[in-house]
Amino acid sequence: MNNYCSNITFTSKITPVTLKDFNKISRSMGIDNLAGYPWVLGTSAKGTSVYTKDVLNCCVCLITNGEKALLMHLNPCRSQNHDFDSVLRYVKKHIDVGSKNLHAILLGSKNVPKSLELFGKFKEMLFSLNIPFSVFKNGKMTTHAAYSAKTDEFFISSESIDYMLNRGLDNAKSIKNAFEKVELNKIDYI
């Protein structure tokens, strides 16, 4: 995977949470911090706390410097979401891509052409910007995600994670069993 870290001075904790806990977390962040429907660039969220819900075949990209975050949730069925010149301009408008402290999380996708294409374009963009990232690909069920810069924590929830946590599985196993592919950058941990 991408093992470069530049001069990053913080690490993100990846935390699986039950659906009940995710609802509490997202409610506390408020509707203004939701990257919501119709899941296009214009409905992205930027702030110290951001979240999104209902990720199935969509792709979610969180880019953070540890103080603020940009969360994009893009639907692969919308043609404008495949225009990565626009996506790159949007990212550059909302994030200082020259910052050495950036890192990202890429989540979502399904094994269908449009979804895989969008996921691949996000990966290419992050590589080209030299932003290290972790991957949570092909969730087995609809996934919800949130980020808090206050604790530098990325929360992930789904019915399968909820089930596994309620059955006593540890955090790492709960996440790894909920996705087809999990790749953690060396600056992130579960």
Side-chain angles (χ1 to χ4, degrees):
M1 181 71 205
N2 46 346
N3 289 322
Y4 52 91
C5 288
S6 304
N7 296 320
I8 293 176
T9 57
F10 64 96
T11 59
S12 285
K13 181 179 181 183
I14 313 295
T15 305
V17 293
T18 64
L19 293 170
K20 182 179 177 182
D21 287 343
F22 184 85
N23 285 331
K24 287 179 192 175
I25 291 164
S26 61
R27 270 195 310 272
S28 73
M29 292 181 178
I31 194 74
D32 291 341
N33 294 312
L34 169 66
Y37 184 82
W39 303 307
V40 294
L41 281 177
T43 58
S44 297
K46 183 178 179 194
T48 56
S49 297
V50 291
Y51 70 100
T52 193
K53 295 181 177 184
D54 302 323
V55 182
L56 189 56
N57 66 332
C58 295
C59 294
V60 169
C61 182
L62 170 90
I63 303 174
T64 182
N65 62 7
E67 295 174 9
K68 294 262 186 186
L70 173 64
L71 181 67
M72 297 169 284
H73 178 162
L74 300 183
N75 181 335
C77 298
R78 296 185 172 270
S79 60
Q80 73 264 31
N81 288 341
H82 291 266
D83 177 4
F84 261 68
D85 289 335
S86 293
V87 173
L88 183 57
R89 281 192 304 275
Y90 187 86
V91 168
K92 286 180 176 180
K93 180 179 177 182
H94 291 90
I95 293 283
D96 175 10
V97 296
S99 171
K100 299 292 184 200
N101 274 339
L102 294 180
H103 75 280
I105 292 178
L106 189 54
L107 177 142
S109 186
K110 283 292 179 196
N111 290 323
V112 294
K114 286 184 179 182
S115 186
L116 292 171
E117 176 187 332
L118 188 60
F119 198 86
K121 286 181 176 182
F122 267 121
K123 282 181 79 169
E124 287 174 22
M125 180 188 75
L126 293 170
F127 276 128
S128 73
L129 294 172
N130 291 319
I131 300 173
F133 60 96
S134 292
V135 170
F136 300 90
K137 188 173 182 186
N138 294 350
K140 296 177 181 170
M141 298 187 146
T142 301
T143 305
H144 315 294
Y147 174 79
S148 169
K150 183 178 180 181
T151 59
D152 194 25
E153 200 165 1
F154 187 74
F155 302 96
I156 302 176
S157 189
S158 69
E159 285 185 28
S160 59
I161 289 172
D162 185 87
Y163 177 83
M164 288 180 268
L165 290 174
N166 285 322
R167 299 300 176 277
L169 253 68
D170 68 42
N171 287 352
K173 286 181 183 174
S174 295
I175 286 181
K176 290 177 181 174
N177 287 332
F179 295 92
E180 274 185 29
K181 184 176 191 177
V182 174
E183 293 179 348
L184 288 182
N185 187 286
K186 66 182 180 180
I187 59 175
D188 293 332
Y189 65 98
I190 297 174

